[in-house]
Amino acid sequence: MKKYKIILATALSAAVLLTGCVKTQIPQTADGSDKLQVVTTIFPAYDWMREILGDHAENVELTLLNEDGVDLHSYQPSAEDMLRIRSCDLFVYVGGPSDAWVKEALQDNSNPNPHAISLLELLGDGVKNEEVVEGMQEEDHDHDHEDEHDHEAEAAHKHEDEPDEHVWLSLKNAQTLCDGITRSLSQIDPNHAAQYQENNAAYLQKLQQLDADYQTAVDDGARKTLLFCDRFPFRYLVDDYGLTYYAAFSGCSAETEASFETIAFLAEQVEQLKLPSVLTIEGASHDVADTVVRSTSTQNQTILTMDSMQSITSADIAAGATYLSIMEENLKTLKQALS
């Protein structure tokens, strides 16, 4: 944490120096008026914003800060990011522990009428806490064996008090969040409020239809349990449709290597439930999944991947990635896992 504060302080100092020496050039529309400056930290919010803006997007400077595939939990703002946040008209961020840096970023906003949206605050009582399920590996701790019980209890308590930040992985949540974003856009740009609300209504219909498709897939599925040999950021999704799950690590875990006990437990569940596949999230390494499959008696389970949208890059966006397209691909994977 001390190292992080030093990095953040350096970024803030650089931002202050830059603002003192350079006049920020705000892009203008064809008629010479200033463009609306909108900044988001994560891809889902960025893509929702594109849908709500619709044809008016060409008159808005929309920025995705985290466009290099850096995981939400590892992202750190640059001095340029700080400048963008402090001069924007609307800033949309998740609002969980990974966004601890946002408070300082907003303290010296150069925009006289800044609007900032925390997705967790928008969701309100719909926010769930991180949870530990049976067999899930806890964060590694250096401690004596005799204190093991106390440390496990402490870790479980920590998860109970920490919000699950992956709110966008629920199509029901997405509808609530898009409504909140539309309200804020309408407030700061009332001349286009009707257009924003119309675009949002059309987009909500698509979200509702895909939500219904997910429910149908679960209802028709032969199984109701998913097994992730990876971190598990999909709690909101499984809770929406009454699914159960096992996972190697919690959604925000920094662990990448599973213990023998975790591997053995997951392999046993695969065999007891006769699962035809195990799941991972996006990323290059699926070593835990490989090990779990090799630890079963049949060793023939398919390894499937669901995309949590935490590592979307500018290249992915240029290639046509959208929130809906990724959730549609996740639905195909879910159907296969439940077959």
Side-chain angles (χ1 to χ4, degrees):
M1 180 61 72
K2 184 176 181 181
K3 179 181 179 182
Y4 168 74
K5 288 182 177 179
I6 292 173
I7 293 172
L8 180 58
T10 302
L12 288 169
S13 298
V16 171
L17 289 173
L18 285 170
T19 52
C21 301
V22 180
K23 181 179 180 180
T24 302
Q25 297 297 314
I26 300 177
Q28 294 186 325
T29 60
D31 61 4
S33 60
D34 289 343
K35 279 191 174 185
L36 198 67
Q37 305 291 304
V38 178
V39 176
T40 70
T41 58
I42 61 169
F43 170 75
Y46 171 86
D47 193 55
W48 295 337
M49 194 71 70
R50 289 194 298 182
E51 293 287 344
I52 296 166
L53 289 170
D55 293 339
H56 191 59
E58 62 185 20
N59 296 321
V60 175
E61 186 72 11
L62 177 59
T63 300
L64 171 61
L65 293 184
N66 192 359
E67 63 175 8
D68 296 325
V70 178
D71 187 276
L72 165 70
H73 311 293
S74 304
Y75 171 76
Q76 292 182 354
S78 66
E80 183 180 359
D81 293 339
M82 290 293 186
L83 286 174
R84 286 185 178 277
I85 294 168
R86 290 177 168 183
S87 62
C88 73
D89 299 289
L90 178 60
F91 176 51
V92 184
Y93 63 105
V94 177
S98 298
D99 285 342
W101 54 270
V102 168
K103 183 177 180 180
E104 289 192 59
L106 294 176
Q107 282 179 346
D108 185 27
N109 199 314
S110 60
N111 190 312
N113 298 299
H115 288 255
I117 300 175
S118 161
L119 298 184
L120 294 187
E121 288 184 6
L122 273 183
L123 201 56
D125 293 339
V127 175
K128 301 176 185 293
N129 285 335
E130 284 279 334
E131 67 176 353
V132 177
V133 299
E134 184 182 7
M136 184 179 286
Q137 184 163 311
E138 291 291 342
E139 297 288 334
D140 189 24
H141 295 280
D142 293 322
H143 56 80
D144 294 332
H145 182 73
E146 63 184 10
D147 294 331
E148 185 173 347
H149 178 75
D150 291 338
H151 280 274
E152 287 180 351
E154 179 183 348
H157 179 70
K158 176 179 180 292
H159 280 286
E160 289 173 0
D161 293 339
E162 191 168 284
D164 189 322
E165 299 174 300
H166 311 94
V167 293
W168 61 87
L169 291 170
S170 160
L171 289 156
K172 301 180 193 302
N173 287 353
Q175 296 170 52
T176 300
L177 300 174
C178 284
D179 277 339
I181 290 172
T182 301
R183 287 195 298 272
S184 289
L185 268 177
S186 299
Q187 289 172 3
I188 64 177
D189 187 16
N191 291 336
H192 298 96
Q195 181 182 350
Y196 298 148
Q197 291 160 12
E198 181 180 344
N199 293 340
N200 181 53
Y203 189 58
L204 290 183
Q205 290 183 352
K206 296 178 182 179
L207 292 173
Q208 290 162 3
Q209 181 58 60
L210 188 54
D211 179 25
D213 292 342
Y214 265 82
Q215 187 64 63
T216 298
V218 171
D219 291 343
D220 294 344
R223 295 171 175 79
K224 306 299 179 189
T225 301
L226 302 176
L227 190 141
F228 272 75
C229 303
D230 210 326
R231 289 187 292 139
F232 186 74
F234 289 96
R235 184 188 174 190
Y236 290 96
L237 187 148
V238 297
D239 283 0
D240 279 350
Y241 309 111
L243 294 170
T244 57
Y245 74 94
Y246 295 101
F249 315 110
S250 66
C252 294
S253 175
E255 297 287 342
T256 57
E257 296 184 8
S259 66
F260 170 81
E261 290 78 13
T262 297
I263 295 293
F265 176 85
L266 294 176
E268 181 182 4
Q269 295 306 312
V270 170
E271 296 200 324
Q272 286 185 357
L273 296 170
K274 296 180 171 60
L275 299 179
S277 60
V278 298
L279 293 115
T280 63
I281 64 171
E282 72 279 8
S285 176
H286 296 151
D287 292 345
V288 175
D290 289 332
T291 305
V292 169
V293 170
R294 289 198 305 269
S295 300
T296 65
S297 58
T298 57
Q299 300 184 1
N300 63 355
Q301 291 78 21
T302 304
I303 298 176
L304 305 175
T305 299
M306 291 183 70
D307 194 335
S308 65
M309 290 181 262
Q310 297 181 84
S311 302
I312 300 295
T313 66
S314 54
D316 295 326
I317 297 172
T322 68
Y323 175 81
L324 280 177
S325 70
I326 294 172
M327 290 300 286
E328 287 166 354
E329 287 300 313
N330 282 341
L331 175 57
K332 293 178 184 178
T333 303
L334 182 66
K335 287 180 178 179
Q336 188 174 350
L338 298 178
S339 64

